[in-house]
Amino acid sequence: MTRDTSKREPILTARGLVKRYGRVVALDHTDFDLYPGEILAVIGDNGAGKSTLIKTISGAVVPDEGEIRLEGSPIHFTSPMDAREAGIETVYQNLALSPALSIADNMFMGREIRVPGFFGKYFRKLDRKAMERISREKLNDLGLLTIQNINQAVETLSGGQRQGIAVARAAAFGSKVVIMDEPTAALGVKESRRVLELIKDVKARGLPIVLISHNMPHVFEVADRIHIHRLGRRHAVIDPKDFSMSDAVAIMTGAMEPPENAQAA
Amino acid sequence: MADAQTAKDRDFEKGLDGSSTGVASFDTHSRSLLDQIQHTLHSHPAGVPLIVLLASVAGFGIILGSKFFSPFALTLILQQVAIVGIVGMAQSLVVLTAGIDLSVGAIMVLSSTVMGHFTFRYGLPAGFAVMCGLGCGAFCGFINGTLVSRMKLPPFIVTLGMWQIVLATNFLYSANETIRSQDISEQAPLLQFFGEKINIGGAVFTYGVIGMILLVLLLQYVLNHTSWGRHVYAIGDDPEAAELSGVRVRRTLISVYSLGGLICAFAGWVLIGRLGSVSPTAGQFTNIESITAVVIGGISLFGGRGSILGMMFGALIVGVFSLGLRLIGTDPQWTYLLIGLLIIFAVAIDQWIRKVAS
Ligand SMILES: Nc1ncnc2c1ncn2[C@@H]1O[C@H](COP(=O)(O)OP(=O)(O)OP(=O)(O)O)[C@@H](O)[C@H]1O
Ligand SMILES: [Mg+2]
């Protein structure tokens, strides 16, 4: 099912993206394709430019050159807010949570709900009850957390719990694309498993997912295709069914030439 | 082949099968008393200043009796605190975003000068002159906000420069002239509006005090129950995270500084009511007093923590100590000494509360 991508139109494409930080070339004319309903893993060495790549897609970084298209039409995000309004949700490597604010505040940051009627309209009063209820529901639905106090400050949670909140937020609100930059990096075995299940759930809802990870077993378990990033550009795209983990790592580190047909996939 | 390998790699997870499925259950272990206090203060940042305020009122009440514990004396504190309280709100907004505003006092004075001189020099209607003064304050704040958010300059430097610029403008524009109280009450009583009083059984409330109380309630609401308020906290907490999670950081910062300027201008109007006259040399210490109120009120100078109510309590604590010690008849230096101690105490408490993070 995933092999035959050539017949379908990608939902998200990037062509010739360049991003320089002074002399460092983080992205060097890289391409990117994401197809509807698939899980695309992005792997690469530290500093290969994976985070920068997804940041250009999520509006957090504006590329110096290149073109990004969402569902065929060019997009020019200048802030993460723009990408979110277009339905792209992202879990950043640094999580992007406000530590002193509550779980509910964080879940709804930038998309707060107001109370219906007069107070909401003229006094812009927030509907805390609704936001707390929905946050609790989302966290429970996703089987990610059993919450006792949704008003607990995020800084009082453990690293793994925080990552859970960030993942749940993206999964709950993404409507077109969900991007996760190392969502299991801080998680224990059990918590990682939950996040992998969650990724599959999101896929089952029909949403495509971009998963950045250094964890090869995780990548090979869930990915439909693997985008191998090397030195700021797309080095190869492979099907996990055709390659072993050690092959993938060899391609990633440059020890093995990428296969001919994989380049274009 | 990959499948087989994946299966093998997952072998070690077999042990999970029998484990509980709840992931991040929140611990509810009973904590030590000190831990509980720390957690309570963490979620109620105005708690410490409120306790200190009540204790100091009670303390002076016991020492001084009805001389201090009378409606008149207690409301006198409110009157004396009104200006600092209002300017402290502007300061609080900025400090909550992890900034600092050294130009608050200067903006207040310039705005009051504009109100006075627009009325008396150009013969404009007092109402219009007041609007111009408020606009002037908001504009100064807007410049601060633009420099901080768009040019990414440190707030300390921007407002340090602004302080000098605004103060110099104030002296140059007013030509160092004071407008006399008598002239104002004859020709433009609107300027002294906030000096009017209502008397309820010995308790004296100026309109300025009432304005301060209404404003503090309004801001408390806005900060806690609107998106804008939550964004102000998020920006102070971690501006990058706020931006990534969908807050328009630059726009919000500009609005914070502009609103701060507007509030300072409002304080300038109240200042005319309090002094009776328009004086370009008034309010020299308002800067430092507003920062004192903010710090004693438990607002973290690192941003993102504290409440505007706390700042109000902080300002009142200073007012209680000043009046109480004056009534006792001590050297006023004791007041400064005690306030200095309170500041250090408040910052120490803030550091301790921040450690609650696991
Ligand atoms: N804000 C920045 N300023 C300067 N250089 C940057 C910035 N962000 C990234 N870089 C540089 O760009 C390159 C790519 O970084 P990026 O974070 O995209 O790598 P990555 O593939 O996500 O690595 P990791 O696996 O460690 O997360 C690195 O050399 C990094 O130093
Ligand atoms: Mg990265």
Side-chain angles (χ1 to χ4, degrees), chain A residues 30-63:
Chain A
T30 191
D31 297 338
F32 178 84
D33 291 283
L34 178 69
Y35 288 88
E38 74 170 348
I39 298 178
L40 175 73
V42 177
I43 63 172
D45 286 334
N46 290 122
K50 305 179 296 297
S51 295
T52 309
L53 171 66
I54 63 104
K55 280 185 179 169
T56 60
I57 298 169
S58 74
V61 163
V62 180

Side-chain angles (χ1 to χ4, degrees), chain B residues 76-134:
Chain B
L76 182 64
I77 294 173
L78 281 175
Q79 293 172 39
Q80 288 171 343
V81 157
I83 305 291
V84 173
I86 295 170
V87 174
M89 293 181 223
Q91 191 68 263
S92 300
L93 290 175
V94 172
V95 171
L96 281 175
T97 66
I100 189 122
D101 193 341
L102 299 176
S103 63
V104 283
I107 294 178
M108 170 183 81
V109 176
L110 177 65
S111 305
S112 76
T113 307
V114 165
M115 292 177 194
H117 286 265
F118 271 39
T119 311
F120 284 85
R121 199 184 299 174
Y122 311 131
L124 294 167
F128 182 73
V130 165
M131 301 295 272
C132 293
L134 294 174

Side-chain angles (χ1 to χ4, degrees), chain A residues 84 100 128 152 155 193, chain B residues 13 21 26 42 224 237 245:
Chain A
R84 245 169 59 167
R128 285 188 174 255
Q152 197 167 351
E155 69 193 345
R193 176 103 327 262
Chain B
E13 291 181 7
T21 47
F26 290 62
H42 187 264
N224 289 296
D237 217 3
S245 52

Side-chain angles (χ1 to χ4, degrees), chain B residues 7-336:
Chain B
K8 201 175 96 226
D9 277 306
R10 284 192 53 192
D11 265 1
F12 71 96
E13 291 181 7
K14 282 238 176 74
L16 289 180
D17 291 351
S19 66
S20 82
T21 47
V23 171
S25 14
F26 290 62
D27 75 285
T28 45
H29 299 205
S30 54
R31 301 194 186 95
S32 77
L33 183 65
L34 206 61
D35 273 357
Q36 277 179 20
I37 294 174
Q38 193 181 20
H39 270 84
T40 311
L41 294 178
H42 187 264
S43 40
H44 302 281
V48 181
L50 180 60
I51 293 166
V52 173
L53 176 63
L54 294 178
S56 54
V57 170
F60 284 112
I62 291 167
I63 299 169
L64 290 160
S66 60
K67 204 159 57 152
F68 179 84
F69 216 72
S70 70
F72 178 79
L74 291 179
T75 49
L76 182 64
I77 294 173
L78 281 175
Q79 293 172 39
Q80 288 171 343
V81 157
I83 305 291
V84 173
I86 295 170
V87 174
M89 293 181 223
Q91 191 68 263
S92 300
L93 290 175
V94 172
V95 171
L96 281 175
T97 66
I100 189 122
D101 193 341
L102 299 176
S103 63
V104 283
I107 294 178
M108 170 183 81
V109 176
L110 177 65
S111 305
S112 76
T113 307
V114 165
M115 292 177 194
H117 286 265
F118 271 39
T119 311
F120 284 85
R121 199 184 299 174
Y122 311 131
L124 294 167
F128 182 73
V130 165
M131 301 295 272
C132 293
L134 294 174
C136 165
F139 179 73
C140 295
F142 175 79
I143 304 274
N144 278 337
T146 306
L147 292 173
V148 167
S149 69
R150 302 232 175 250
M151 317 273 294
K152 305 262 184 263
L153 301 175
F156 185 92
I157 304 299
V158 167
T159 58
L160 182 67
M162 201 64 178
W163 176 13
Q164 306 301 327
I165 294 168
V166 171
L167 208 59
T169 309
N170 163 58
F171 286 126
L172 292 172
Y173 175 68
S174 67
N176 238 332
E177 265 173 49
T178 298
I179 303 173
R180 289 190 310 155
S181 175
Q182 207 183 345
D183 297 339
I184 297 177
S185 55
E186 277 167 15
Q187 296 169 46
L190 180 71
L191 294 183
Q192 292 174 340
F193 176 78
F194 285 101
E196 305 222 6
K197 294 171 178 162
I198 44 177
N199 198 323
I200 310 168
V204 180
F205 294 94
T206 59
Y207 287 5
V209 166
I210 296 169
M212 170 186 77
I213 293 171
L214 292 178
L215 190 60
V216 88
L217 295 177
L218 176 71
L219 285 176
Q220 173 76 8
Y221 167 83
V222 168
L223 283 172
N224 289 296
H225 296 283
T226 70
S227 311
W228 185 84
R230 298 328 293 166
H231 295 176
V232 168
Y233 278 91
I235 290 171
D237 217 3
D238 183 345
E240 234 169 274
E243 176 83 42
L244 290 178
S245 52
V247 173
R248 307 254 186 214
V249 173
R250 284 190 298 185
R251 204 185 289 179
T252 311
L253 272 179
I254 292 180
S255 69
V256 163
Y257 281 87
S258 306
L259 179 61
L262 180 65
I263 293 172
C264 292
F266 173 65
W269 189 6
V270 176
L271 181 71
I272 303 176
R274 172 127 186 92
L275 299 174
S277 58
V278 172
S279 163
T281 54
Q284 305 256 359
F285 299 103
T286 315
N287 260 355
I288 216 72
E289 286 169 349
S290 73
I291 296 172
T292 303
V294 162
V295 172
I296 295 183
I299 298 182
S300 170
L301 289 177
F302 301 103
R305 281 151 226 267
S307 83
I308 205 133
L309 278 184
M311 181 286 302
M312 199 67 242
F313 299 145
L316 287 169
I317 290 169
V318 175
V320 166
F321 273 92
S322 311
L323 185 74
L325 292 174
R326 182 137 44 91
L327 289 178
I328 291 177
T330 58
D331 190 314
Q333 293 307 329
W334 283 105
T335 313
Y336 297 119

Side-chain angles (χ1 to χ4, degrees), chain A residues 21-22 24-27 44-53 55 93 181-182 212 214 229:
Chain A
Y21 290 106
V24 178
V25 183
L27 292 181
D45 286 334
N46 290 122
K50 305 179 296 297
S51 295
T52 309
L53 171 66
K55 280 185 179 169
Q93 199 165 1
D181 195 350
E182 305 199 17
I212 299 179
H214 288 292
H229 213 72

